[in-house]
């Protein structure tokens, strides 16, 4: 009786305490490379965390990563029925799903609302800060890149992750710190499943240039206004004092 209890206890310990256990897993992955028709089936065999055999449909064979794995891989690679079975799996598992559920999901895409704006003007050595924000898009995968006169800018770019709005939509923000050059055209390029090609969003002409122009026009207007007002005042004063001085 007590032996039975000890055996049950040992079994319970083994089941409940994962530190005593071993774990084997078999995973099948479908990789879609260029499009939904360019498929690759990867089947991996893991023991605890070690991957010991992998089938790659592009290679069309198994590869082993330890002695046991190599022995099995060799046996399976020399078995035409086993290799044929994997070809069937590529169709049954990858091609079938690509044609049905997955395309039904990816077809539901919502384009982002993109805003490119200047959030901080540069002064001397301090760079100008631009922000390219994409709002309300689906699915999550997106790519934002900065261009200066058509050339990609990679340094001084920081980006958030895709942030979940909690309602299936996402937003993302990319920040560019740069020293503006006169006449330079900065744009933000967005790649997303909802667009058939990369879309370019312009900031318009160089921030500093258009701003200096605006300031110059405003300042000239102010100076002209002050001169005219002063002239008017002097003229008015002269006229009124002149009138008083005229004797009757
Ligand atoms: C599968 O094999 C191909 C051809 O060697 C290789 O380019 C590809 O990266 C492999 N895939 C994986 C996931 O290992």
């Amino acid at each position: 009786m007590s032996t039975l209890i000890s055996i049950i206890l040992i079994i319970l310990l083994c089941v409940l305490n994962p530190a005593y256990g071993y774990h084997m897993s078999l995973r099948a992955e479908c990789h879609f490379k260029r499009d939904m028709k360019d498929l690759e089936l990867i089947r991996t065999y893991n023991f605890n965390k070690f991957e010991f055999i992998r089938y790659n449909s592009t290679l069309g064979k198994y590869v082993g990563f330890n002695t046991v794995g190599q022995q099995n891989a060799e046996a399976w690679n020399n078995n035409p029925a086993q290799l044929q079975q994997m070809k069937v799996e590529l169709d049954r598992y990858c091609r079938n799903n690509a044609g049905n559920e997955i395309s039904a999901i990816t077809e539901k895409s919502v384009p982002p609302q993109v805003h490119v704006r200047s959030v901080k003007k540069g002064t001397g050595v301090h760079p100008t800060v631009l922000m390219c924000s994409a709002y309300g898009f689906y699915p999550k995968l997106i790519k934002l890149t900065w261009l200066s006169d058509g050339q990609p800018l990679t340094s001084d770019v920081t980006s958030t992750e895709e942030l979940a709005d909690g309602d299936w939509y996402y937003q993302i923000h990319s920040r560019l710190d740069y020293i503006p050059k006169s006449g330079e055209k900065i744009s933000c390029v967005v790649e997303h499943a909802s667009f058939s090609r990369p879309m370019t969003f312009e900031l318009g002409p160089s921030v500093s240039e258009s701003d200096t122009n605006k300031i110059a026009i405003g300042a000239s207007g102010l100076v002209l206004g002050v001169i005219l007002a002063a002239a008017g005042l002097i003229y008015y004063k002269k006229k009124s004092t002149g009138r008083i001085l005229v004797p009757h």
Side-chain angles (χ1 to χ4, degrees), residues 31 33 40 42 54 56-59:
H31 295 203
K33 294 198 280 185
E40 181 177 281
I42 304 291
R54 173 186 294 196
N56 177 336
S57 70
T58 310
L59 282 175

Side-chain angles (χ1 to χ4, degrees), residues 130 146-151 153 176 178 180-188 200-207 209:
L130 300 185
W146 288 96
L147 295 183
S148 157
D149 293 331
Q151 295 302 311
L153 288 169
L176 171 70
Y178 86 115
K181 282 182 255 144
S182 174
E184 185 184 26
K185 207 153 97 187
I186 297 284
S187 49
C188 176
T200 306
F201 298 87
E202 308 269 335
L203 175 73
S206 172
V207 203
E209 198 184 38

Side-chain angles (χ1 to χ4, degrees), residues 36 96-107:
M36 293 303 235
N96 245 349
N97 282 313
N100 304 321
E101 291 92 335
I102 296 167
S103 59
I105 293 167
T106 54
E107 273 160 18

